[in-house]
Amino acid sequence: SRDATLATMPRGPRKHLKRLNAPHHWMLDKLSGNFAPRPRAGPHKLRECLPLIIMLRNRLKYALTGRETMQILMQRLVLVDGRVRTDPKYPAGFMDVVSIPKTGENFRLLYDVTSRFSLHRIVDKEATFKLCKIVKQAVGPRSVPYVVTHDGRTIRYPDPAIKVNDTVKLDLATSKIIDFVKFESGNLVMVIGGRNRGRVGVLQSRERHDGGFDIVHVKDAAGHAFATRLTNVFIIGKQATSLVSLPTRKGVKSSIADEAERRRKQRAKK
């Protein structure tokens, strides 16, 4: 009955995340506990983010336990996009710049070709900006035009030429738009969703499907062509020149045979 169903439903938001239900790209082992850190509500979705505790403890190895991670963060040593973050469950996501001034390190969160987050080390000059995809364009109260970016920012009075799916280059110190790149054929894109996540290539064409999902065709540097949904691509450069430095392998996915050969050569060097 309806009353019985309501009686079994929990009240309020979910506050726990079982380890087996955590996103695969966090690469958490099964036997180190029942639970995983559940990200806070924030600029990136639960399954498209990397909490700071996972980043500091599991990836960078700056801490061995959650308590040590908390001690690092509460000393205000970690900045995300130029702002101090003390919450170990803060959801950092694609294109976010993570800075640790005490060690002089800067990282940009990008995807590698295995669909996992890569903490790509960058120089200080590159850590002053980030790229944001425009996901919404509208006119607010008192006829104020604004755009919304993929990381939840609202930017008022943008350049009239900026449209949805374009990419803007944002100065992190002032939160102002420095430059923008149009969503056009011939520009460089990174795939941020689907089976091809992490691959980089040049946008070839766009298929419009009324009532369905628009499809875009991409060709990578190795000459391999693939297709994905329009919502899965993120413009990262003009023509074939990227505005940000890319991780190793530059977003080119190898075949299974090529990957096996590469690993064999690595073992031979050791």
Side-chain angles (χ1 to χ4, degrees):
S1 68
R2 182 173 179 274
D3 293 337
T5 304
L6 290 175
T8 59
M9 291 175 64
R11 296 192 304 167
R14 295 181 178 180
K15 296 185 178 180
H16 295 75
L17 177 66
K18 285 291 184 74
R19 208 169 184 86
L20 292 180
N21 291 334
H24 176 69
H25 61 79
W26 289 4
M27 296 185 288
L28 299 179
D29 54 342
K30 293 191 294 184
L31 303 179
S32 295
N34 290 333
F35 294 95
R38 184 182 184 87
R40 304 281 187 215
H44 299 278
K45 296 180 180 179
L46 183 148
R47 308 202 74 82
E48 298 172 4
C49 75
L50 193 67
L52 292 184
I53 185 172
I54 301 288
M55 192 184 305
L56 294 173
R57 183 184 61 188
N58 298 49
R59 296 296 180 85
L60 296 176
K61 311 291 186 186
Y62 281 148
L64 295 175
T65 63
R67 180 177 289 275
E68 288 182 7
T69 307
M70 176 71 81
Q71 289 171 344
I72 292 171
L73 293 172
M74 293 309 290
Q75 291 179 66
R76 306 177 70 83
L77 300 177
V78 179
L79 287 75
V80 180
D81 288 345
R83 293 194 175 191
V84 173
R85 299 295 177 185
T86 58
D87 188 353
K89 297 181 181 179
Y90 178 81
F94 182 69
M95 278 292 167
D96 283 359
V97 176
V98 180
S99 303
I100 309 175
K102 196 160 189 176
T103 62
E105 292 177 309
N106 299 294
F107 304 94
R108 191 184 300 281
L109 271 174
L110 299 172
Y111 290 112
D112 62 14
V113 290
T114 58
S115 296
R116 296 167 180 163
F117 271 122
S118 170
L119 282 166
H120 177 58
R121 200 179 297 268
I122 56 176
V123 297
D124 290 342
K125 184 178 180 181
E126 194 180 336
T128 59
F129 70 89
K130 70 181 293 189
L131 302 183
C132 298
K133 180 180 178 179
I134 302 299
V135 296
K136 179 182 176 182
Q137 183 184 31
V139 177
R142 300 189 180 182
S143 301
V144 175
Y146 69 93
V147 292
V148 181
T149 63
H150 78 285
D151 59 351
R153 296 170 188 265
T154 299
I155 304 172
R156 291 158 39 106
Y157 297 107
D159 189 308
I162 296 174
K163 306 295 181 186
V164 173
N165 297 322
D166 293 349
T167 290
V168 297
K169 184 177 178 181
L170 200 73
D171 182 16
L172 294 177
T174 61
S175 294
K176 298 288 180 65
I177 296 174
I178 309 170
D179 194 8
F180 66 92
V181 185
K182 299 292 294 178
F183 185 85
E184 295 173 344
S185 297
N187 285 341
L188 197 67
V189 302
M190 176 176 274
V191 182
I192 59 172
R195 293 288 298 275
N196 293 303
R197 185 162 64 182
R199 297 180 71 176
V200 174
V202 175
L203 185 64
Q204 301 293 310
S205 61
R206 170 182 178 177
E207 294 178 8
R208 296 181 186 272
H209 296 276
D210 294 336
F213 297 101
D214 286 4
I215 302 297
V216 294
H217 293 267
V218 183
K219 181 180 285 188
D220 65 14
H224 301 137
F226 57 95
T228 188
R229 290 181 181 179
L230 172 65
T231 53
N232 288 344
V233 297
F234 189 115
I235 298 285
I236 60 169
K238 297 178 181 178
Q239 302 302 322
T241 306
S242 176
L243 295 176
V244 296
S245 59
L246 297 174
T248 314
R249 298 163 68 183
K250 308 296 182 187
V252 178
K253 192 171 187 178
S254 306
S255 65
I256 295 174
D258 292 341
E259 186 66 19
E261 180 66 17
R262 186 181 68 84
R263 289 180 178 175
R264 187 189 65 78
K265 289 180 179 178
Q266 281 185 342
R267 286 196 298 269
K269 288 180 181 179
K270 293 179 181 178

